Amino acid sequence: MARHGWDYFQHRWNVLQDAQIAENQKGIVNLEGQVVLLERTLVYVLAKGALGQPIGLEDPVLAEFLHLKDVADPRRALLELVSRLKGVDKERLVTCPTCGAKIRDIPGVLDEVCSWCGQQIRTQS
């Protein structure tokens, strides 16, 4: 009887391990796809640069890769992405002089726009 109980727990352990391995394999496949996309995009940008062609946010390949296709202001969205990559620990907030809302001060953007009232706010970073 004791052996039968052990077999059950061994079986459950194996099932859990198999499930974890399957989940890890899915994650690896996902990461492999992301690496391939990154490689293709990097080669595309380098080729355009080597050919002397302009590289800009309006380029459909770059807009797709950076998830900027449906963004109203791609430049601002890109600056937000860059500020997150820099590892900025603390968000700098500014207060809208019109409505008093706290607005995120994005590094590299000098004219923030209040998301509540639309007021343009001049910042220094």
Side-chain angles (χ1 to χ4, degrees):
M1 185 79 169
R3 180 70 182 150
H4 178 55
W6 173 251
D7 290 342
Y8 170 77
F9 288 112
Q10 184 65 45
H11 169 73
R12 290 295 300 148
W13 174 256
N14 291 341
V15 167
L16 290 172
Q17 290 300 316
D18 290 345
Q20 184 64 48
I21 289 168
E23 189 66 31
N24 289 346
Q25 288 173 335
K26 285 181 196 174
I28 290 170
V29 167
N30 184 20
L31 287 173
E32 287 173 340
Q34 290 177 10
V35 168
V36 168
L37 179 60
L38 179 60
E39 288 174 338
R40 287 180 181 165
T41 305
L42 179 60
V43 168
Y44 176 81
V45 169
L46 291 173
K48 283 192 79 153
L51 295 171
Q53 297 177 358
I55 302 168
L57 297 179
E58 64 283 344
D59 187 299
V61 172
L62 294 178
E64 173 90 21
F65 179 75
L66 295 170
H67 307 289
L68 300 175
K69 277 185 6 179
D70 299 320
V71 174
D73 186 354
R75 182 180 169 276
R76 180 182 177 87
L78 184 62
L79 288 170
E80 284 187 38
L81 285 171
V82 169
S83 73
R84 286 188 213 129
L85 292 175
K86 289 181 181 178
V88 177
D89 293 331
K90 293 183 180 178
E91 280 189 323
R92 185 170 167 333
L93 299 175
V94 294
T95 303
C96 176
T98 303
C99 71
K102 298 292 183 188
I103 308 303
R104 185 168 168 241
D105 183 13
I106 302 167
V109 177
L110 299 178
D111 293 320
E112 306 296 342
V113 177
C114 178
S115 54
W116 292 97
C117 70
Q119 174 70 35
Q120 194 164 10
I121 306 164
R122 186 87 175 141
T123 60
Q124 295 182 14
S125 61

